[in-house]
Amino acid sequence: MKNNWRQKLHLEPKSGWLNDPNGLSWFNGCYHVYFQYAPDDPCGDGDKCWGHWCSTDMLRWTYTGTVLVPDIPEDRNGVYSGSGIAADDMLHLFYTGNVKEDGDHDYVTSGRGANVITVTTSDGHNMSEKKVVLRNQDYPDYCSCHVRDPKVWKDGNIYRMVLGARTLSNEGCVLMYKSSDLNSWEYDHVLGIPDMGYMWECPDFFTIGSHSYLSVSPQGLAHEEMRFQNVYSSGYFRADGELTDFTEWDCGFDFYAPQTFETPDGRRILIGWMGIGDIPYTNPTVELGWQHCLTVPREVTAAKDGSLLQLPVREMRKLRRENRDLENGMTTPLPFELVADTDKEFTLNIGGYLTMSFVDGVFTLRFTDDNASGGRTVRKAALSDCKELLLLADTSSIEVYLNGGEKVLSTRFYPSDTEVKLEFSGMSGILYELDALEVKLDEQ
């Protein structure tokens, strides 16, 4: 039954280890999704590279292979995370070249090189020579050696870059740079607030409507019952002036390092790593030679109060096949999509593997089968009420969207069968059986 864990809705590597999504962009008629990749080992050992998928519709994907590898002195210990921007008929990619010096170092205050490196490509997978545009000496002197994950965008006639950083006093922040040509970069200013962890990874800055937002993945937040339940967290600030109102993107077990980009029709799309580093639970696909996946692409919109909502991209609806009214005790094959209206309180049991419930203002996702959980236990989210549930279930993962994406919870799970029984109370709706994404290798 283990081979049934190969997913049908989520992008995952054929072999090896996947983590952060990188270089998300629309260029030359295609969506481009790069990802940090250790092709030789499902536990992440070996060279850290970038793999690449492309698609014209976010449903039919072509994998073109490993497109960036550590092959110069400035990235010899890894091609780390970064971003992409289309300009001058080229796709410009920026990433952190990781260097670890020999010697007695802690690799926080000394011994680590964090180089911002850029390449260009005209087709998404054949790369130019690498050019180093920022080195450690180009960062403020209050920074540690942990500066990484460049995100680049255009703001009027100026290009801007945000970098995640850790200060020497162990405070997370982001560094802002600016450029007129994508090659020469000048430090602009820093953004940060106290007591929000020791390192801010994978920053992203974007605007929706009249509001600006800074997304970061902070490490070192104190865990709470309803917030920051994972080893590391990911969320966004309102950034219209000072940073305010930090909100987590996803309250589930498996979500980190999201990145966004804009589609040709102006939608803001988010994709996250459906995993986290240093987790206390496991993914049994390691035994089969691969580990981790990306979330489905999500449309991000702003509510009236400026908070952000997430839902699967509308293109995913084209995968809907048969549909049935929800009936208590019904059996359905994986994958499926469930769209339901819910009562003041509700419960849902999926195959005896995990339960979902909303009681007294708390949504709870709880595993009831140790074999399916890989060590995952319970996650919670606070809501004033919960009237809508959208559930996207793949062969070994689940994404839960509450109240039109007000709260989202993502988790891996490893069922022993390809069908699950649904038992519930307090809801009514429709269940859709889903076709699979088309994912193929590039035949070039």
Side-chain angles (χ1 to χ4, degrees):
M1 308 304 292
K2 291 182 178 181
N3 287 332
N4 294 322
W5 295 335
R6 178 63 74 180
Q7 296 192 97
K8 299 181 179 180
L9 306 177
H10 293 78
L11 293 175
E12 61 187 359
K14 184 177 181 180
S15 61
W17 159 285
L18 169 151
N19 56 300
D20 305 358
N22 295 313
L24 306 185
S25 50
W26 169 263
F27 169 69
N28 200 21
C30 288
Y31 297 102
H32 297 271
V33 172
Y34 299 88
F35 61 97
Q36 194 167 5
Y37 186 32
D40 300 325
D41 188 274
C43 294
D45 292 333
D47 286 344
K48 300 298 191 301
C49 309
W50 276 22
H52 174 241
W53 285 291
C54 59
S55 172
T56 59
D57 59 4
M58 290 189 278
L59 297 175
R60 292 179 287 270
W61 293 91
T62 297
Y63 178 64
T64 71
T66 303
V67 296
L68 286 172
V69 299
D71 57 6
I72 63 173
E74 290 86 355
D75 68 6
R76 63 178 180 266
N77 296 113
V79 175
Y80 278 19
S81 294
S83 61
I85 182 171
D88 304 321
D89 297 322
M90 301 291 286
L91 182 59
H92 297 249
L93 301 175
F94 292 82
Y95 69 91
T96 297
N98 183 50
V99 175
K100 296 184 75 172
E101 303 288 353
D102 294 333
D104 185 16
H105 299 289
D106 63 4
Y107 300 107
V108 177
T109 61
S110 69
R112 183 183 295 272
N115 304 299
V116 175
I117 299 173
T118 184
V119 298
T120 60
T121 175
S122 61
D123 59 10
H125 59 272
N126 290 303
M127 302 295 169
S128 70
E129 292 186 4
K130 299 175 178 180
K131 179 179 180 179
V132 180
V133 296
L134 291 171
R135 303 174 186 267
N136 287 33
Q137 59 264 32
D138 299 309
Y139 310 135
D141 59 10
Y142 55 77
C143 288
S144 72
C145 298
H146 283 223
V147 178
R148 55 182 173 266
D149 310 336
K151 177 62 186 288
V152 176
W153 72 101
K154 194 171 187 181
D155 179 15
N157 294 323
I158 298 295
Y159 295 102
R160 299 193 183 275
M161 176 193 294
V162 62
L163 284 162
R166 175 179 183 171
T167 70
L168 292 170
S169 56
N170 293 319
E171 293 281 343
C173 65
V174 295
L175 310 177
M176 304 285 288
Y177 285 76
K178 60 185 179 181
S179 172
S180 61
D181 61 4
L182 291 173
N183 290 306
S184 299
W185 292 89
E186 176 186 354
Y187 174 74
D188 193 8
H189 63 282
V190 63
L191 291 174
I193 61 174
D195 303 319
M196 276 297 294
Y198 60 81
M199 173 69 195
W200 288 4
E201 290 196 307
C202 302
D204 191 355
F205 195 95
F206 58 89
T207 299
I208 297 180
S210 60
H211 298 296
S212 295
Y213 302 87
L214 173 67
S215 173
V216 294
S217 294
Q219 298 180 326
L221 297 181
H223 302 308
E224 301 176 13
E225 183 182 7
M226 301 288 177
R227 299 196 308 161
F228 315 142
Q229 298 163 84
N230 286 333
V231 176
Y232 307 125
S233 300
S234 296
Y236 63 89
F237 294 99
R238 291 275 291 276
D240 297 325
E242 295 185 356
L243 301 181
T244 60
D245 303 323
F246 184 79
T247 303
E248 284 184 277
W249 284 114
D250 194 300
C251 300
F253 293 93
D254 297 276
F255 185 88
Y256 195 66
Q259 187 175 118
T260 73
F261 71 102
E262 189 174 18
T263 62
D265 59 4
R267 290 177 291 160
R268 177 63 49 176
I269 306 300
L270 176 147
I271 298 176
W273 174 25
M274 208 164 178
I276 303 179
D278 306 321
I279 53 175
Y281 32 89
T282 61
N283 295 298
T285 59
V286 169
E287 301 173 10
L288 304 175
W290 80 90
Q291 186 171 194
H292 297 310
C293 66
L294 300 178
T295 67
V296 300
R298 302 172 179 178
E299 293 187 27
V300 181
T301 57
K304 291 181 180 180
D305 64 359
S307 62
L308 297 179
L309 308 174
Q310 306 168 70
L311 285 172
V313 289
R314 63 196 68 172
E315 286 86 346
M316 296 289 292
R317 299 172 196 162
K318 295 179 181 179
L319 298 177
R320 291 174 175 174
R321 196 171 22 137
E322 297 183 15
N323 68 82
R324 292 180 282 164
D325 291 337
L326 282 179
E327 296 181 8
N328 193 27
M330 68 190 304
T331 298
T332 179
L334 296 163
F336 68 85
E337 180 183 9
L338 185 156
V339 181
D341 296 323
T342 56
D343 295 341
K344 184 177 180 181
E345 296 183 352
F346 66 85
T347 63
L348 172 63
N349 183 294
I350 299 178
Y353 301 114
L354 73 164
T355 62
M356 303 175 193
S357 64
F358 183 72
V359 179
D360 295 332
V362 178
F363 178 85
T364 302
L365 173 66
R366 186 185 305 274
F367 274 91
T368 54
D369 184 297
D370 291 341
N371 292 324
S373 73
R376 295 161 179 82
T377 53
V378 61
R379 290 291 181 265
K380 299 180 180 180
L383 290 159
S384 57
D385 63 10
C386 189
K387 298 179 180 180
E388 300 174 6
L389 167 69
L390 188 154
L391 190 153
L392 199 63
D394 206 340
T395 52
S396 60
S397 66
I398 291 179
E399 299 186 37
V400 182
Y401 300 82
L402 305 173
N403 286 350
E406 176 186 352
K407 294 283 187 180
V408 184
L409 297 92
S410 300
T411 186
R412 301 302 304 270
F413 85 123
Y414 298 95
S416 59
D417 203 346
T418 58
E419 294 186 337
V420 292
K421 183 178 181 181
L422 304 180
E423 298 178 294
F424 59 87
S425 64
M427 66 172 61
S428 61
I430 299 175
L431 183 140
Y432 299 92
E433 295 181 17
L434 300 176
D435 288 327
L437 295 176
E438 181 182 327
V439 182
K440 64 178 182 177
L441 295 175
D442 191 342
E443 297 178 355
Q444 294 182 0

